Amino acid sequence: MQIYLPIAEVSVNAFLLLGLGGMVGILSGMFGVGGGFLMTPLLFFIGIPPAVAVATEANQIVASSFSGVLAHFRRKTVDLKMGTVLLVGGLVGAALGVVVFNYLKSLGQVDLLVTLCYVVFLGVIGSLMFVESLRALRKAKKGGAAPAKRRQRGWVHAMPFKMRFRTSGLYISVIPPALVGLCVGVLSAIMGVGGGFIMVPAMIYLLGMPTKVVVGTSLFQIIFVTAFTTMLHATTNYTVDVVLAVLLLVGGVIGAQIGTVIGARMPAEQLRVLLAALVLAVCGKLALDLLIEPAELYSLGSGGGH
């Protein structure tokens, strides 16, 4: 069943979009990520213009993250205090990111630079996560105490403006989580992602948060940052396709509930390995598309492109 997307100006199969939304919703519930790192490139692959994909995917992430965080609230695995600190940094970062995105769009280079950002960030983060996850798996099999090594974060404790985060069992400076939130906000605006693929490992390895609290807290912050990003894109770029967003949203909400159930039954180390493998797979596909000569060397565009 083909459906016309008015802002993207293309026709796409509605069931394909529902399926993609559901798949990304499952990832959101399992890993505590918004899923945009996977969905936005998939939208590129099926012919959605990158500017529309980035702005609209931020909208879909809100729904899938909200659905996932409800399940974590019921389990009391959301650190609201930490989430608020991350959120403050995220809102500032999102505003900065939209300014950068508008500048790139005015240059007509937004498509290339968004794709390059994906390749670089996904490659670096995926590789680091994969190595760390394999180490954690080996330690778990040997029966060693893996969490003990997380005490090596003295510089975080040495910073000023400390705050106690009781749900996470931490007493650290608010500066590192605020900076993590800032980076995630910028990425959310430029790349159309929730930023969970950066925030989740940063919360575990940099801030030393327990894995069971990380997922719910990540989703809590993602909801508000991506909602703010969507609003900015809709009012400044006019690139949010409501029809596309609704189809992705319906699939995402259903998928997030399924993903939360699956995630609760799998060991944390295995979840991190799977997430790292997904990140690297998407990175490889995007890098391949940049290197291979396209079937059509020229395309017609509108709105200030060069």
Side-chain angles (χ1 to χ4, degrees), residues 275-294:
L275 180 57
L278 274 172
V279 170
L280 289 173
V282 174
C283 173
K285 169 63 177 168
L286 285 170
L288 201 61
D289 285 349
L290 281 176
L291 296 173
I292 294 176
E293 183 177 306

Side-chain angles (χ1 to χ4, degrees), residues 15 53 69 93 151 157 165 213 219 226 252:
F15 294 111
V69 84
R151 296 295 172 189
H157 289 282
F165 302 95
V213 179
L219 290 176
T226 48

Side-chain angles (χ1 to χ4, degrees), residues 22-193:
M23 180 177 63
V24 170
I26 290 173
L27 290 176
S28 175
M30 285 177 66
F31 303 121
V33 297
F37 74 92
L38 182 61
M39 176 60 85
T40 307
L42 289 176
L43 292 176
F44 297 170
F45 301 154
I46 63 174
I48 307 297
V52 176
V54 166
T56 305
E57 175 53 19
N59 188 36
Q60 187 264 345
I61 290 169
V62 176
S64 59
S65 298
F66 183 75
S67 178
V69 84
L70 286 178
H72 286 282
F73 266 123
R74 288 195 292 269
R75 294 195 183 113
K76 298 182 180 178
T77 52
V78 180
D79 190 331
L80 290 175
K81 206 175 201 180
M82 179 66 78
T84 303
V85 174
L86 291 165
L87 175 59
V88 171
L91 293 178
V92 175
L96 291 173
V98 169
V99 171
V100 174
F101 186 90
N102 289 342
Y103 176 69
L104 296 177
K105 192 178 178 186
S106 70
L107 294 178
Q109 299 297 324
V110 70
D111 295 8
L112 174 62
L113 288 171
V114 166
T115 306
L116 284 173
C117 281
Y118 266 103
V119 172
V120 172
F121 277 103
L122 295 183
V124 172
I125 296 298
S127 300
L128 291 174
M129 280 189 68
F130 196 73
V131 171
E132 286 294 332
S133 301
L134 288 179
R135 284 179 188 164
L137 271 176
R138 288 197 198 102
K139 287 175 183 175
K141 286 179 181 177
K142 291 177 182 177
K149 277 211 164 186
R150 286 192 196 151
R151 296 295 172 189
Q152 298 176 353
R153 51 181 197 279
W155 67 274
V156 174
H157 289 282
M159 298 183 81
F161 309 112
K162 288 187 178 181
M163 185 180 290
R164 192 173 300 281
F165 302 95
R166 298 190 184 281
T167 308
S168 300
L170 297 175
Y171 180 61
I172 59 172
S173 168
V174 297
I175 295 175
L179 290 176
V180 170
L182 180 76
C183 294
V184 167
V186 172
L187 291 177
S188 177
I190 295 178
M191 298 168 64
V193 297

Side-chain angles (χ1 to χ4, degrees), residues 158-259:
M159 298 183 81
F161 309 112
K162 288 187 178 181
M163 185 180 290
R164 192 173 300 281
F165 302 95
R166 298 190 184 281
T167 308
S168 300
L170 297 175
Y171 180 61
I172 59 172
S173 168
V174 297
I175 295 175
L179 290 176
V180 170
L182 180 76
C183 294
V184 167
V186 172
L187 291 177
S188 177
I190 295 178
M191 298 168 64
V193 297
F197 68 92
I198 284 183
M199 188 154 53
V200 169
M203 290 162 78
I204 293 172
Y205 301 114
L206 180 65
L207 305 180
M209 291 177 64
T211 304
K212 66 175 184 178
V213 179
V214 163
V215 175
T217 307
S218 170
L219 290 176
F220 172 78
Q221 187 260 8
I222 285 170
I223 291 169
F224 295 99
V225 171
T226 48
F228 182 62
T229 300
T230 300
M231 184 184 71
L232 291 178
H233 276 302
T235 54
T236 60
N237 294 323
Y238 311 107
T239 47
V240 177
D241 194 307
V242 177
V243 178
L244 173 61
V246 168
L247 288 169
L248 295 176
L249 185 150
V250 171
V253 168
I254 298 170
Q257 294 298 316
I258 299 170

